[in-house]
């Protein structure tokens, strides 16, 4: 008895699904890193003092390093904007969603970073996708620093551009020289690496970029408030360059505000507004969040004592950890540093040992093209007391003496 066409179709679909599952399982097997487990931390009185097994611990995992995100000025600006414009925007940028608050904040962010123009987006991912799909096409090469949380490979694939990672000045220079004949090379790099705390774009790196004719888009999100006299990141140390395409800034890490600013030239702004399909349909961030972002910049600019305090503490912590035998990345005047491990399992073992001693630091996979490993990232806040910073250093010293890395 012959099978009906419907039964045959069902058999074919099941075979296709089994083949798809097999292929997905193969891809899944290539992923060495495991997701972060729930280690039992729960919210406490504030971000720096969560609870673990019923007792408060000291957290060095909060990006609110300047202790600004709960300031009354920010919450008051949110309430005022909600009362005037509502909590959300249901229309696109070109259909009436842009309020005077949006225009004022775009001007304020551009002025803060010494740029000609500013554009506001809801997230860093949307900003990157808009920039790359507006500019790039086949023949372009996109270079990004390893471990950066940006969808560069995805955006490049949409327009047929090549994507390559670099993890050092030497590897960046090698990639630039290899792709000298490309239609255009676009480098998208964090000013301060958010995972390791290392400074990515150093003065001699800028010189190489200018010499080889690359365009550069700098992500200042991790540097906001931490480097420079006013907290404007590389906009103070490298305000102008023939290679500089623009800067982007997310308020998410430090303030929990879903607003990203793109700081660019007038010409690039006009090109984005005319060419980007995304901007035609996607609503901008609500006026309440945009107003909060503008107020956050005002607070950042005035937080000079906090910057000096965390810079001093960061240097002290870095020196102490190195003296106790740890391999430290980042640090210095930037209050973001990390301890390097050869595997995520070792990093989590030390994280757990520190947690038993009342100190929490975040274990993060650090997987690039040229190395696989992990870090324990340490974020030193101006709100940490000297005793809490001392507990952090003593905890690392005791864990090292007990031979945690030999296990």
């Amino acid at each position: 008895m012959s099978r009906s066409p419907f039964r045959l179709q069902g058999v074919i679909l099941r075979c296709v699904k089994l083949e798809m599952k097999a292929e997905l399982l193969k891809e899944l097997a290539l992923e060495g890193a495991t997701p972060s487990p729930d280690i039992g931390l729960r919210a406490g009185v504030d971000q720096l003092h969560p609870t673990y097994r019923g007792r408060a611990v000291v957290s060095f995992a909060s990006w609110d390093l300047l202790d600004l995100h709960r300031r009354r000025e920010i919450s008051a600006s949110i309430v005022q904007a909600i009362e005037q414009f509502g909590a959300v925007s249901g229309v696109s940028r070109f259909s009436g969603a842009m309020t005077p608050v949006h225009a004022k904040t775009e001007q304020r962010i551009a002025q803060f970073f010494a740029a000609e123009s500013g554009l506001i987006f809801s997230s860093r991912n949307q900003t990157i996708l808009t920039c790359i799909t507006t500019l790039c096409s086949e023949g372009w090469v996109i270079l990004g620093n390893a471990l950066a949380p940006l969808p560069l490979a995805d955006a490049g694939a949409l327009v047929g551009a090549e994507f390559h990672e670099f993890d050092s000045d030497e590897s960046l220079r090698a990639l630039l020289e290899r792709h000298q004949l490309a239609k255009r090379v676009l480098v998208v790099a964090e000013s301060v690496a958010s995972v390791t705390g290392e400074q990515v774009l150093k003065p001699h790196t800028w010189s190489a970029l200018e010499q080889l004719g690359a365009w550069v888009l700098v992500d200042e999100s991790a540097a906001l408030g931490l480097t420079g006299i006013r907290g404007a990141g590389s906009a103070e140390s490298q305000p102008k360059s023939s290679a500089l395409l623009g800067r982007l800034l997310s308020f998410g890490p430090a303030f929990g505000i879903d607003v990203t600013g793109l700081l660019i030239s007038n010409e690039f702004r006009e090109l984005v507004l005319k060419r980007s399909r995304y901007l035609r349909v996607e609503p901008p961030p609500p006026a309440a969040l945009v107003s909060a972002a503008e107020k956050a910049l005002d607070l950042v600019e005035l937080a000079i004592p906090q910057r000096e305090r965390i810079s001093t503490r960061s240097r002290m912590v870095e020196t102490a950890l190195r003296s106790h035998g740890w391999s430290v990345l980042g640090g210095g005047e930037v209050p973001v540093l990390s301890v390097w491990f050869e595997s995520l399992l070792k990093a989590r073992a030390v994280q757990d040992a520190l947690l038993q001693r009342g100190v929490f630091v975040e274990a993060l996979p650090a997987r690039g093209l040229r190395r696989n490993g992990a870090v324990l990232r340490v974020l030193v806040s101006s709100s940490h007391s000297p005793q809490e910073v001392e507990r952090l250093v003593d905890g690392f010293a005791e864990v090292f003496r007990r031979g945690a890395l030999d296990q």
Side-chain angles (χ1 to χ4, degrees), residues 17-30:
K17 287 182 179 180
L18 288 173
E19 183 179 349
M20 185 185 301
K21 287 184 177 181
E23 289 299 317
L24 291 174
L25 287 172
K26 287 181 183 178
E27 292 296 322
L28 198 57
L30 297 176

Side-chain angles (χ1 to χ4, degrees), residues 32 78 115 187 223 266 272-273 301 319 325 332 337 354 359 371 387-388 394 399:
I78 292 175
V187 178
N266 293 329
V272 170
L273 292 175
E301 196 165 20
T319 301
L337 57 91
L354 290 170
V359 173
R371 62 181 180 181
Q387 295 77 17
E388 290 172 338
D394 290 344
V399 170

Side-chain angles (χ1 to χ4, degrees), residues 242-384:
S242 60
L244 181 64
L245 175 66
R247 292 183 166 89
L248 65 95
L249 166 72
S250 172
F251 290 87
F255 298 97
I257 301 171
D258 292 330
V259 173
T260 297
L262 179 63
L263 303 320
I264 50 180
S265 66
N266 293 329
E267 294 78 11
F268 190 19
R269 174 189 168 91
E270 289 302 312
L271 182 64
V272 170
L273 292 175
K274 291 180 178 180
R275 183 176 290 181
S276 175
R277 295 182 180 180
Y278 159 75
L279 286 182
R280 299 174 191 171
V281 296
E282 190 71 15
L289 296 183
V290 173
S291 177
E294 183 195 7
K295 187 58 64 176
L297 276 188
D298 296 339
L299 296 176
V300 162
E301 196 165 20
L302 297 175
I304 298 174
Q306 292 97 315
R307 270 191 291 281
E308 294 176 347
R309 189 180 311 134
I310 59 179
S311 177
T312 301
R313 291 179 176 178
S314 175
R315 288 195 296 269
M316 186 272 289
V317 171
E318 179 194 6
T319 301
L321 294 186
R322 290 188 189 278
S323 68
H324 291 308
W326 296 99
S327 176
V328 179
L329 304 175
E333 295 187 1
V334 181
V336 181
L337 57 91
S338 58
V339 179
W340 175 261
F341 295 87
E342 294 299 325
S343 72
L344 186 58
L345 289 177
K346 286 186 177 181
R348 286 181 176 167
V350 175
Q351 178 192 46
D352 185 63
L354 290 170
L355 195 52
Q356 304 304 322
R357 292 161 174 80
V359 173
F360 174 68
V361 289
E362 193 170 7
L364 300 170
R367 300 177 58 203
L369 293 178
R370 296 151 64 92
R371 62 181 180 181
N372 288 321
V375 297
L376 285 180
R377 186 176 60 192
V378 180
L379 303 176
V380 185
S381 166
S382 63
S383 296
H384 286 121

Side-chain angles (χ1 to χ4, degrees), residues 201-203 206 210 233-241 244 247:
L201 295 174
K202 302 173 184 177
W206 279 102
E210 293 168 357
S234 69
E236 296 183 45
S237 60
Q238 190 72 33
K240 302 293 182 182
S241 170
L244 181 64
R247 292 183 166 89

